[in-house]
Amino acid sequence: MKVVFTVSALFMYSWLVQAQSNVAPVEPKAPQSFDVTSIDKTADPCNDFYQYACGNWQKNNPIPPDQVRWSEFIQLRERNAWLLYKELEAASVADPKRTPLQQKYGDFYAACMNTQLANEKGVTALQPALNTIDALSDKKQLAALLATLEIRDGVSGVFNFGVGQDQKDSSRQIAQAGQAGLGLPDLDYYLRDTPRQKKIRDDYVAHMTRMFQLAGDTPENAASEAQAVMAIETALAQGSLSRTDLRDPAKRYHLITLAELETLTPNFDWPSYLQGINMGAFESLDVVYPQFFSTMNAQIGAQSLKAWKSYLRWRALHGAARWLSDPFAEENFKFYNSELQGQQEMAPRWKRCTLATDNALGEAVGQDWVKKYFSPEKKENMTKLVTALEAALRQDIDQVPWMSDETKKKALEKLALIRNKIGYPEHWRDYSTLETKRDDLLGNVARADIFEDRRNLAKLGKPVDETEWHMTPPTVNAYYSQSNNDINFPAGILQPPFYDFSKDEAVNFGGSGSVIGHEMTHGFDDQGSKFDGHGNQVEWQTADDRKAFSDRTDCEVKEYGNFEAAPGVKLNGQLTLGENTADNGGLRIAYMALMDTLAGAAPAPEIDGYSPAQRFFLAYGQLSCENIREQAARNNVLTDPHSPGHWRVNGTVQNFDQFGKAFGCKKAAPMYPETSCRVW
Ligand SMILES: [Zn+2]
């Protein structure tokens, strides 16, 4: 339900596994920071640093059959999932000595693991929603029906609706409505006519047809329902803003009055919808992209009642598929995981149920998890690193050649206002009103979604809670929030390969240091630079400085746009611009911070035959060692704002002359070119 565009994460956070029940859990090994055995010493670091830093890692770490991508980062995610699973398994035993929180998450997990019950229930678990859709007799009641499906059954509809910070006044929490309602991962799948896109469209229709049949529809009905859904989704895709355009704050912000929205969409009964979801009163809202709503309105007029019922039936089946009986879960796996991303096997069910519990009750499980796995010492070390990185970014802003003193002053003001959140929230979310039952998997998932929706809608007009987190404590990721101007590092990422107490500073600055630098630089990338230190979208650069900034970001757009991301497919330099800017800036300021830290101390020794600078770059490079399936790589080109590991490494080091110097490269070598791109 939420509409949040103002968070930039370190990785795209999607959990790609699907369930399989008959595999016994195996404890995954703990990943490590910087490992010399991963290095391919037959490669020339000046020619292809990624091959040098990661060549042997790639050879020694084939993608497990239940994964589509494999890296030390994903291994850490697997490791955290395992530790969380042990907690959940213990709490899932109905023991009167459980704490109220253990009871909640333990029962959620127990219900999820009960495949026998899920198989017995089959599609009947979803019957209340399907019956309500079936009973729709007039398109005028579509709005009220969408509200019921969202707030009673946890079924998401055509658009996102929620409460979030006003992009231009971050102290206000306002209503927001944004585009949604598509079953394929990106607009391109609907709108482009490459052979791959056409095949995926055909297979998507076939997949929907099989799902309708599993729900009990005749083959003829199922086929015509699937065609109706495809027609509506294609029209919605045509009326949607692309992922790249959504990155532009100016294109995605349209504050209009509710009356104006009603005029824009006369076929949709907003008062019924808003009353249905129990939304508080408001006068204006951000509709993100008005054309989407006029498209929706036109489709309500143009498509039959029957077509709309098919569409909603699909939304309900698709949303619940993973939690219904095995045939639904398997059909869902075949299309979304196997065909779209190349996953070979379903993952063990415990993984999926662990993630589902973390999604639903993350701050309940997380409270107990951080007690075991997060020490105050980690927070202290991280705080020291953050302070060192802040000093480096200050110095970097002071020194950049293209910015006027006037704008530098504004940039430094913004930097001074960045808040740091490390580990886990100061206040834990209150789950007392969320009910979980041991015998109701789908109901638990729906109740958790609805709990979050209500929590979100209740923010309307309230002060912003700056202590809130958008990731759960065990998450292996980090993010920068434009509206809050804060950087957030969940407890889950503060371990090897990112932070390792047993390693030297060079390795930790290359790991955690570059991650902190990455998040800080997001405050000054193509999106972040359009927001001030208070999280409001305002221009704080002079016209000349903005021009110089754009020339520099254009250089990165072209540079990365020439990198091959999948066989025969170039990376989208515009979509990945913010992440590439953050990678480049993050690496540079982490390096500066390391050099500042080492200055004045006794010269650091070589370790494993590498100087501190070399170890820094190797630790940084090895964070991105990965293997990826071709289908996933092709899908990521369309959906992931991050570059593939290969270019997160080679793209950044070739733009940073300290790399070429550290490895003694000859000028004009591929990793030490005569000219390169630099924003920060
Ligand atoms: Zn990022």
Side-chain angles (χ1 to χ4, degrees):
M1 187 178 259
K2 264 196 276 181
V3 191
V4 178
F5 291 114
T6 57
V7 166
S8 305
L10 181 66
F11 301 103
M12 186 160 71
Y13 193 56
S14 61
W15 193 274
L16 302 163
V17 296
Q18 271 283 346
Q20 185 180 334
S21 50
N22 55 353
V23 179
V26 179
E27 178 167 0
K29 69 171 180 136
Q32 43 178 322
S33 297
F34 179 49
D35 179 5
V36 269
T37 66
S38 297
I39 297 173
D40 173 4
K41 295 204 175 175
T42 67
D44 176 358
C46 301
N47 187 45
D48 181 348
F49 184 56
Y50 182 72
Q51 178 62 34
Y52 183 78
C54 296
N56 276 6
W57 186 96
Q58 287 183 297
K59 234 187 279 167
N60 298 334
N61 291 274
I63 309 170
D66 70 342
Q67 303 283 338
V68 300
R69 192 174 192 176
W70 198 234
S71 64
E72 296 280 320
F73 145 67
I74 295 169
Q75 286 178 22
L76 177 57
R77 204 174 64 180
E78 293 279 291
R79 172 87 190 159
N80 283 0
W82 163 266
L83 298 174
L84 206 55
Y85 150 73
K86 298 303 278 180
E87 301 290 308
L88 294 174
E89 193 192 38
S92 69
V93 180
D95 179 340
K97 286 201 284 277
R98 291 185 298 176
T99 65
L101 282 182
Q102 285 170 334
Q103 176 269 314
K104 263 190 217 296
Y105 61 72
D107 286 352
F108 188 102
Y109 181 80
C112 188
M113 289 302 286
N114 193 343
T115 42
Q116 195 192 335
L117 187 60
N119 281 330
E120 277 165 27
K121 287 187 180 179
V123 78
T124 61
L126 194 60
Q127 213 56 56
L130 297 179
N131 290 347
T132 308
I133 294 164
D134 204 37
L136 182 72
S137 58
D138 186 339
K139 283 191 281 180
K140 288 201 181 79
Q141 280 139 26
L142 194 62
L145 173 61
L146 282 181
T148 304
L149 291 174
E150 272 172 28
I151 216 71
R152 189 197 70 189
D153 303 303
V155 173
S156 61
V158 194
F159 54 85
N160 287 324
F161 189 88
V163 173
Q165 286 167 270
D166 184 341
Q167 195 169 288
K168 293 196 171 169
D169 178 358
S170 68
S171 68
R172 294 201 320 145
Q173 305 220 68
I174 60 166
Q176 297 172 333
Q179 65 191 44
L182 304 180
L184 289 171
D186 190 75
L187 304 184
D188 261 27
Y189 286 111
Y190 296 92
L191 306 179
R192 284 185 59 201
D193 276 332
T194 65
R196 177 168 185 263
Q197 258 67 341
K198 277 187 185 166
K199 178 175 188 310
I200 285 173
R201 283 202 289 276
D202 289 345
D203 292 345
Y204 178 51
V205 171
H207 163 63
M208 288 192 280
T209 306
R210 286 191 295 272
M211 289 281 284
F212 283 124
Q213 282 183 260
L214 286 173
D217 303 349
T218 64
E220 298 73 36
N221 276 347
S224 76
E225 285 174 289
Q227 292 296 346
V229 177
M230 196 58 182
I232 292 177
E233 289 192 3
T234 304
L236 292 176
Q238 283 160 347
S240 294
L241 205 56
S242 74
R243 211 177 278 275
T244 300
D245 283 337
L246 277 172
R247 292 183 48 75
D248 184 343
K251 287 183 184 160
R252 66 169 187 239
Y253 179 81
H254 292 91
L255 197 68
I256 64 174
T257 64
L258 184 53
E260 284 167 337
L261 178 60
E262 291 189 69
T263 308
L264 186 70
T265 56
N267 293 333
F268 192 80
D269 182 358
W270 284 99
S272 290
Y273 174 79
L274 296 169
Q275 197 189 354
I277 60 168
N278 204 16
M279 179 67 178
F282 64 90
E283 266 172 27
S284 55
L285 77 166
D286 177 6
V287 295
V288 182
Y289 186 54
Q291 197 191 319
F292 177 80
F293 288 96
S294 47
T295 304
M296 177 186 87
N297 184 69
Q299 285 299 303
I300 295 173
Q303 304 283 351
S304 67
L305 173 69
K306 190 162 169 263
W308 274 101
K309 286 163 78 164
S310 300
Y311 174 82
L312 292 173
R313 189 171 168 79
W314 167 243
R315 299 296 300 163
L317 285 169
H318 171 59
R322 291 168 305 155
W323 312 118
L324 299 175
S325 50
D326 289 344
F328 284 96
E330 280 160 15
E331 177 57 40
N332 187 67
F333 170 84
K334 265 188 229 152
F335 181 69
Y336 284 101
N337 297 68
S338 179
E339 168 153 8
L340 278 176
Q341 309 194 77
Q343 189 174 326
Q344 294 173 343
E345 272 179 21
M346 282 190 179
R349 192 168 179 99
W350 66 265
K351 279 191 203 172
R352 178 164 73 129
C353 290
T354 297
L355 181 81
T357 316
D358 183 46
N359 272 345
L361 286 140
E363 290 195 12
V365 202
Q367 285 180 42
D368 293 334
W369 193 83
V370 294
K371 277 182 210 149
K372 272 197 180 164
Y373 300 107
F374 188 70
S375 62
E377 211 184 349
K378 281 188 181 170
K379 190 164 179 166
E380 243 170 66
N381 274 276
M382 196 66 180
T383 307
K384 266 189 218 155
L385 273 177
V386 170
T387 308
L389 265 289
E390 278 169 354
L393 182 51
R394 254 196 317 273
Q395 200 186 328
D396 181 57
I397 291 171
D398 262 337
Q399 291 169 354
V400 285
W402 52 271
M403 201 183 236
S404 68
D405 286 348
E406 189 187 343
T407 302
K408 282 183 180 179
K409 199 169 151 251
K410 297 273 175 55
L412 291 169
E413 278 169 20
K414 176 166 186 180
L415 172 59
L417 286 168
I418 293 181
R419 274 176 298 109
N420 313 309
K421 284 150 69 183
I422 298 167
Y424 54 90
E426 290 166 37
H427 319 287
W428 295 106
R429 200 160 291 176
D430 174 9
Y431 290 103
S432 53
T433 58
L434 173 56
E435 190 188 4
T436 61
K437 299 179 184 173
R438 292 183 74 80
D439 60 353
D440 188 10
L441 163 56
L442 192 64
N444 288 341
V445 173
R447 276 186 293 276
D449 283 347
I450 295 160
F451 171 84
E452 282 305 319
D453 286 347
R454 289 189 195 282
R455 204 177 67 80
N456 173 262
L457 295 176
K459 291 177 179 174
L460 183 69
K462 302 259 170 64
V464 175
D465 176 7
E466 289 174 343
T467 67
E468 185 180 1
W469 282 67
H470 298 291
M471 284 178 185
T472 69
T475 304
V476 184
N477 209 335
Y479 68 94
Y480 169 77
S481 158
Q482 286 151 23
S483 288
N484 289 318
N485 193 30
D486 61 14
I487 51 179
N488 302 260
F489 306 97
I493 196 174
L494 306 178
Q495 359 178 21
F498 298 95
Y499 196 89
D500 190 339
F501 282 108
S502 71
K503 293 282 163 74
D504 54 308
E505 273 166 327
V507 166
N508 283 323
F509 274 85
S512 283
S514 70
V515 171
I516 297 165
H518 173 106
E519 298 308 334
M520 279 180 187
T521 308
H522 269 314
F524 304 91
D525 68 13
D526 59 322
Q527 291 193 81
S529 68
K530 292 173 181 152
F531 293 77
D532 68 10
H534 301 283
N536 299 324
Q537 188 205 341
V538 286
E539 181 57 275
W540 48 266
Q541 301 199 32
T542 64
D544 284 352
D545 289 331
R546 175 58 70 184
K547 168 81 175 57
F549 179 86
S550 300
D551 289 347
R552 282 163 182 268
T553 52
D554 285 351
C555 178
E556 281 186 358
V557 170
K558 285 197 200 85
E559 179 186 29
Y560 281 79
N562 273 319
F563 294 151
E564 192 174 69
V569 186
K570 294 280 169 69
L571 200 56
N572 180 342
Q574 197 71 50
L575 175 65
T576 56
L577 173 59
E579 296 301 335
N580 297 334
T581 304
D583 282 345
N584 279 276
L587 180 69
R588 181 181 295 269
I589 63 173
Y591 182 85
M592 290 166 68
L594 171 66
M595 290 303 141
D596 277 355
T597 304
L598 296 180
E606 283 197 355
I607 304 176
D608 307 321
Y610 292 104
S611 70
Q614 290 173 330
R615 289 171 66 75
F616 167 87
F617 286 111
L618 284 164
Y620 169 78
Q622 290 190 351
L623 287 182
S624 293
C625 298
E626 67 180 4
N627 283 311
I628 185 163
R629 296 196 197 282
E630 187 184 325
Q631 294 94 321
R634 289 183 186 280
N635 186 55
N636 286 0
V637 174
L638 301 177
T639 58
D640 191 347
H642 305 88
S643 296
H646 189 142
W647 302 117
R648 290 190 88 162
V649 177
N650 283 3
T652 49
V653 301
Q654 72 179 41
N655 284 337
F656 188 26
D657 56 2
Q658 293 301 335
F659 170 81
K661 288 177 187 162
F663 281 87
C665 303
K666 282 210 187 73
K667 200 69 191 166
M671 299 293 112
Y672 195 32
E674 301 278 2
T675 58
S676 58
C677 300
R678 177 177 172 191
V679 183
W680 296 107

